[in-house]
Amino acid sequence: MFRGVMESAKEFKKVVDTVSTLLDEICFEVDEEGIKASAMDPSHVALVSLEIPRLAFEEYEADSHEIGIDLEAFKKVMNRAKSKDKLILELDEEKNKLNIIFENTGKRKFSLALLDLSASSVKVPDIEYPNVIMIKGDAFKEALKDADLFSDYVILKADEDKFVVHAKGDLNDFNAEFEKDSSAIISLEVKEETKSAFNLDYLMDMVKGVSSGDIIKIYLGNDMPVKLEYSLAGVNLTFLLAPRIEG
Amino acid sequence: MFRGVMESAKEFKKVVDTVSTLLDEICFEVDEEGIKASAMDPSHVALVSLEIPRLAFEEYEADSHEIGIDLEAFKKVMNRAKSKDKLILELDEEKNKLNIIFENTGKRKFSLALLDLSASSVKVPDIEYPNVIMIKGDAFKEALKDADLFSDYVILKADEDKFVVHAKGDLNDFNAEFEKDSSAIISLEVKEETKSAFNLDYLMDMVKGVSSGDIIKIYLGNDMPVKLEYSLAGVNLTFLLAPRIEG
Amino acid sequence: MFRGVMESAKEFKKVVDTVSTLLDEICFEVDEEGIKASAMDPSHVALVSLEIPRLAFEEYEADSHEIGIDLEAFKKVMNRAKSKDKLILELDEEKNKLNIIFENTGKRKFSLALLDLSASSVKVPDIEYPNVIMIKGDAFKEALKDADLFSDYVILKADEDKFVVHAKGDLNDFNAEFEKDSSAIISLEVKEETKSAFNLDYLMDMVKGVSSGDIIKIYLGNDMPVKLEYSLAGVNLTFLLAPRIEG
């Protein structure tokens, strides 16, 4: 059996929104500890991983299950969440469906057919990074959107004093500098100067659900994938994106 | 002559919005008691009827008239209403136009050419229904939108204990249950268990203008058209929709 | 050198929004007094002129320069301004770019390549007008939008007692009357009754940035271009539009 109750459907909606822009379907590995999933995006450029510890739920009860879900349908359902709706996720083993229930003054139950997926063997690789930047989520997100005006990729740079988001178009260019003591920077640990280019669409998709108050941990190195980590509604999200090969 | 003044153009806008999604044109029958109109939608599946008693107006003066109006144009004009605009409707018999005047700090006068329509002979049939449900308008409206995720028709069910909105897609399905004592239900009078399917687009159009605080009266029976009744800005609206024939 | 600091990027955004709907590129003539520019729109129907006195800036320093800018790119950048961003405009003579910097908690720098334009020889002609109307910007703007429902041109009329915005469609028509003592009218000086037709799209573009609180000065005469003047964020804007020749 599996049943989990969350306080805010609206908050969890952001998680599904973000994951569904990168993936078409997902296999949730459910057990008594909580829920896990990880997968490569269809073009195998980005890795998405999420972890929902049982503590993220108000109530939680589960045996071991693999629950395959179409993320387009999941997103459509979550978009119907209202501000004060409570969220109940519940496996109907008999009908082979996942029930998504919004509870407020009434009770609205959506039942999604399960997909026959196996849990992915892809896990977040255990890389040691020379540089770790903790930055306010909206500052980073806005800088990516700024960069998007002029280019389809972005260069992330870090040295001892600052973290820089840079974009270079044919004619125009953009630069956001976050000094070590800027109010957007929580911490800046740089052992090695780095400068790497990344696809901008993927990065923007990865931070889609981030809003003001959220904090993103960025792991950077030379010729390494960038790793982003943050939490939404008690869900730990991790993203990896391979660097762009410069011509 | 005909002249009617309403306090809030913005409120009346909702009436025109709702009616204009179902009908292309309408013939208002005006007399000293107020305004009436009823018509079938172009595909003859739904019946729309409205009544504006003279009390819905701040000021009202009228002889007997038939005023044929293009609802697309009427809607475009009403969409220009601002929150504090007063609404004046006024027949210009000489020019054969209906003046729609928004009065606030200034005066904006739109004049719509009259159409040569005769009052419809269609009236709301006097059917006795076994079941009557009074429900909060937004709860019903949201359930219809939920249902729309998975299907283009909806099954309305009622028994002694609850009113149910159900939709069944190829893979996924949706269920909203309103228990008799749920806060969304004002009253539930059920003499006969019913279950009928209806076209979802029509139902959603019929409740388009409904907002939180409005209450809808739903008349249900087996193999009978559903009847919806509610009031907007002092205007009584009635809709009938034939049941969907199940294959 | 040229460097100017403005308190509110968001306010200046409205100026760029308005000008960029009418022009594709612009040559700012910068000197120690401030900034000037004027140009005809590409179809040579409308004249746009702007003046930014040095007092519109918090800080200002400049030699004589001509700064040619692509307005599409300028607009895209200004659309990224947030409510509390300060705006810094700064010429980078070495790189031949105009830096547009948003300063808030962080610093986001956009660099636009300069275009090789010469200052326009077009200036606002010094016409004496018989009639001058000062009107609340939003009242005029809304009347134009109303008129747009039924026609693609608008007739502006003025006599001793009132200013009228009129539109005539094939079937329907619109009339906004602003009486001399209406709260929308600041002043109405009419020496000669006038009635002229103007292209509605151009007029709506010209008042695009206007919001409630702004006041527009309208200069009207028979067989004369209409002249509109107003200020946004300390920037003086002037527009001329040739009358429509009636068939």
Side-chain angles (χ1 to χ4, degrees), chain A residues 15-214:
Chain A
V15 176
V16 178
D17 258 358
T18 304
V19 176
S20 66
T21 54
L22 288 155
L23 304 176
D24 295 332
E25 45 191 39
I26 200 164
C27 182
F28 292 110
E29 299 165 66
V30 172
D31 64 24
E32 53 183 15
E33 303 291 314
I35 301 176
K36 281 182 195 178
S38 40
M40 298 292 288
D41 84 294
S43 58
H44 280 241
V45 174
L47 189 155
V48 180
S49 171
L50 64 85
E51 237 187 72
I52 323 182
R54 60 176 300 155
L55 278 170
F57 294 91
E58 255 185 10
E59 298 170 35
Y60 187 86
E61 238 181 313
D63 314 323
S64 224
H65 290 285
E66 296 196 344
I67 301 179
I69 287 291
D70 176 274
L71 279 167
E72 186 60 30
F74 202 179
K75 180 179 147 186
K76 272 165 59 179
V77 169
M78 291 309 300
N79 279 341
R80 298 290 308 144
K82 306 287 158 201
S83 335
K84 285 177 185 170
D85 285 352
K86 188 175 274 211
L87 172 68
I88 304 168
L89 299 174
E90 179 182 83
L91 183 66
D92 183 335
E93 291 178 73
E94 205 175 306
K95 293 195 185 154
N96 207 32
K97 294 203 165 168
L98 179 71
N99 292 336
I100 302 159
I101 301 164
F102 297 142
E103 216 174 53
N104 194 335
T105 56
K107 195 170 164 174
R108 298 141 62 207
K109 183 172 89 181
F110 300 85
S111 304
L112 295 190
L114 300 190
L115 303 185
D116 195 13
L117 305 172
S118 315
S120 145
S121 58
V122 184
K123 298 289 166 209
V124 181
D126 201 12
I127 309 171
E128 202 163 314
Y129 284 89
N131 307 316
V132 186
I133 299 112
M134 283 180 75
I135 185 169
K136 285 191 182 162
D138 49 353
F140 184 56
K141 192 175 172 177
E142 290 301 315
L144 294 179
K145 287 190 189 172
D146 288 338
D148 191 41
L149 292 190
F150 298 147
S151 183
D152 53 3
Y153 67 98
V154 74
I155 296 159
L156 301 182
K157 291 192 257 190
D159 63 28
E160 276 183 10
D161 302 321
K162 61 180 179 295
F163 172 59
V164 176
V165 176
H166 176 62
K168 203 175 156 16
D170 293 335
L171 289 172
N172 309 317
D173 53 76
F174 168 73
N175 236 53
E177 291 199 9
F178 300 98
E179 310 269 348
K180 197 180 180 123
D181 59 0
S182 133
S183 67
I185 294 294
I186 313 301
S187 69
L188 185 75
E189 294 166 35
V190 176
K191 291 190 196 141
E192 178 189 318
E193 274 194 33
T194 50
K195 182 181 163 184
S196 309
F198 301 96
N199 180 298
L200 197 42
D201 281 344
Y202 278 101
L203 278 182
M204 287 197 295
D205 286 347
M206 287 171 174
V207 299
K208 200 181 166 194
V210 167
S211 47
S212 91
D214 296 327

Side-chain angles (χ1 to χ4, degrees), chain C residues 206-221:
Chain C
M206 287 172 174
V207 300
K208 201 181 167 194
V210 167
S211 48
S212 90
D214 296 327
I215 287 166
I216 301 181
K217 216 164 167 176
I218 304 174
Y219 296 81
L220 266 184

Side-chain angles (χ1 to χ4, degrees), chain B residues 39-225:
Chain B
M40 299 292 288
D41 84 294
S43 60
H44 280 242
V45 174
L47 188 154
V48 179
S49 171
L50 64 85
E51 239 186 70
I52 322 181
R54 61 176 298 157
L55 279 170
F57 294 92
E58 256 185 7
E59 298 171 34
Y60 186 85
E61 239 182 312
D63 314 322
S64 223
H65 289 285
E66 296 196 344
I67 300 178
I69 287 291
D70 177 275
L71 280 166
E72 186 60 30
F74 201 178
K75 180 179 147 188
K76 271 165 60 180
V77 169
M78 290 309 301
N79 280 341
R80 299 289 309 143
K82 307 286 158 203
S83 334
K84 285 178 185 169
D85 285 352
K86 189 174 273 211
L87 172 68
I88 303 169
L89 298 174
E90 178 182 83
L91 182 66
D92 183 336
E93 290 178 74
E94 205 174 306
K95 292 195 185 154
N96 207 32
K97 294 203 165 168
L98 179 71
N99 292 336
I100 302 161
I101 301 164
F102 297 143
E103 215 174 54
N104 196 332
T105 56
K107 196 170 164 175
R108 297 141 63 207
K109 183 172 87 180
F110 300 85
S111 303
L112 294 189
L114 299 191
L115 303 183
D116 194 13
L117 304 172
S118 316
S120 146
S121 58
V122 185
K123 299 289 164 204
V124 181
D126 199 13
I127 309 171
E128 203 163 314
Y129 283 89
N131 308 316
V132 186
I133 299 110
M134 283 180 76
I135 185 169
K136 284 190 183 163
D138 50 352
F140 184 56
K141 190 174 171 178
E142 291 301 315
L144 295 180
K145 287 190 188 171
D146 288 339
D148 191 42
L149 292 190
F150 298 148
S151 183
D152 53 3
Y153 68 97
V154 74
I155 296 159
L156 302 182
K157 290 193 259 191
D159 63 28
E160 275 182 11
D161 301 321
K162 61 180 179 298
F163 171 60
V164 177
V165 176
H166 176 64
K168 202 176 158 16
D170 293 336
L171 290 172
N172 310 318
D173 53 75
F174 168 73
N175 237 53
E177 291 198 8
F178 300 98
E179 310 270 346
K180 196 180 180 121
D181 60 359
S182 132
S183 67
I185 294 294
I186 312 301
S187 70
L188 185 74
E189 293 166 36
V190 175
K191 291 190 195 140
E192 181 189 316
E193 274 194 32
T194 50
K195 181 180 163 184
S196 309
F198 300 97
N199 179 297
L200 197 43
D201 281 343
Y202 278 102
L203 279 182
M204 288 196 295
D205 285 349
M206 288 171 174
V207 299
K208 200 181 166 194
V210 166
S211 48
S212 92
D214 297 326
I215 286 165
I216 301 181
K217 215 163 167 176
I218 304 174
Y219 296 82
L220 266 184
N222 286 308
D223 302 316
M224 283 174 159

